[in-house]
Amino acid sequence: MNQNRDFYAGLVATAFFALVLFVLIPIYVKVPSFIPGFAPPPDMWPRVVAIIGFVMGVLALVLAFPKMRETSKHQVTGLGGNIHRHKVLIARFVGVLVLFAAFVYGLPVIGFVPATVLLLGVLFIMTGNFERKFWMFGLTIIFPVLLYLLFTEVTHTPFPEGMLFSNSLSNLITLI
């Protein structure tokens, strides 16, 4: 494994989760002034996931430094050679970024479950490993449905239905 890749992966993960934690959650997750009972605030789980991702990114950065120092003594590679050698991985990374943007913008239109099914399906396809097609297909369908049922039936947390599949005709008209 390329030690620079560990460093860059940690850097990207740290930057992404820092953006989510310090910018996106405070702007887009509205927290009411009063929360009854022992209910967690709406920003609790996004903050937990963002903090865990941020800590893992920082840990990857810290663990990459000794490896980079050791290999820097032995080899020198240019940026152009690395980009040319890893063009398939770079294309997949750009595809994942486009996919996540489509997921964020498509979620209010088609709803949580269909958007997550599409997201997981494309992510499984992008891994390029098709040895366990049954598991890939099963997890693509079952995991979002179980997650939806857990949150709607157990914690009574509503997920976005989406304007396309909601019963409201006015939402569909505003979509068009």
Side-chain angles (χ1 to χ4, degrees):
M1 176 176 235
N2 187 357
Q3 285 75 20
N4 286 338
R5 188 171 72 182
D6 294 342
F7 174 76
Y8 292 130
L11 188 65
V12 168
T14 302
F16 173 74
F17 285 111
L19 174 75
V20 169
L21 183 63
F22 299 118
V23 177
L24 296 179
I25 291 175
I27 291 174
Y28 292 108
V29 179
K30 304 296 181 214
V31 179
S33 60
F34 176 72
I35 299 173
F38 291 107
D43 67 340
M44 184 184 103
W45 289 113
R47 282 193 187 279
V48 166
V49 171
I51 288 170
I52 290 171
F54 183 77
V55 168
M56 289 177 67
V58 169
L59 184 64
L61 279 173
V62 169
L63 293 176
F65 276 117
K67 294 178 187 177
M68 285 176 50
R69 191 174 305 154
E70 182 64 32
T71 58
S72 68
K73 298 175 188 174
H74 303 294
Q75 71 180 36
V76 176
T77 58
L79 180 64
N82 283 335
I83 289 174
H84 182 64
R85 196 170 35 241
H86 300 295
K87 62 185 173 185
V88 172
L89 295 175
I90 292 170
R92 284 184 183 176
F93 177 70
V94 170
V96 167
L97 289 178
V98 169
L99 179 68
F100 279 128
F103 174 75
V104 168
Y105 287 111
L107 188 69
V109 177
I110 64 173
F112 172 78
V113 174
T116 308
V117 166
L118 291 173
L119 176 73
L120 283 176
V122 174
L123 286 176
F124 278 135
I125 289 170
M126 290 183 91
T127 62
N129 185 2
F130 301 110
E131 294 173 1
R132 294 185 169 94
K133 292 177 191 172
F134 176 76
W135 283 102
M136 291 169 63
F137 185 72
L139 287 175
T140 300
I141 302 294
I142 292 171
F143 184 69
V145 170
L146 288 178
L147 193 64
Y148 177 78
L149 290 174
L150 173 78
F151 277 94
T152 56
E153 300 299 323
V154 175
T155 66
H156 303 290
T157 304
F159 275 31
E161 289 181 0
M163 291 184 275
L164 192 61
F165 297 114
S166 68
N167 294 332
S168 175
L169 185 60
S170 63
N171 287 341
L172 188 59
I173 292 172
T174 57
L175 178 65
I176 298 171

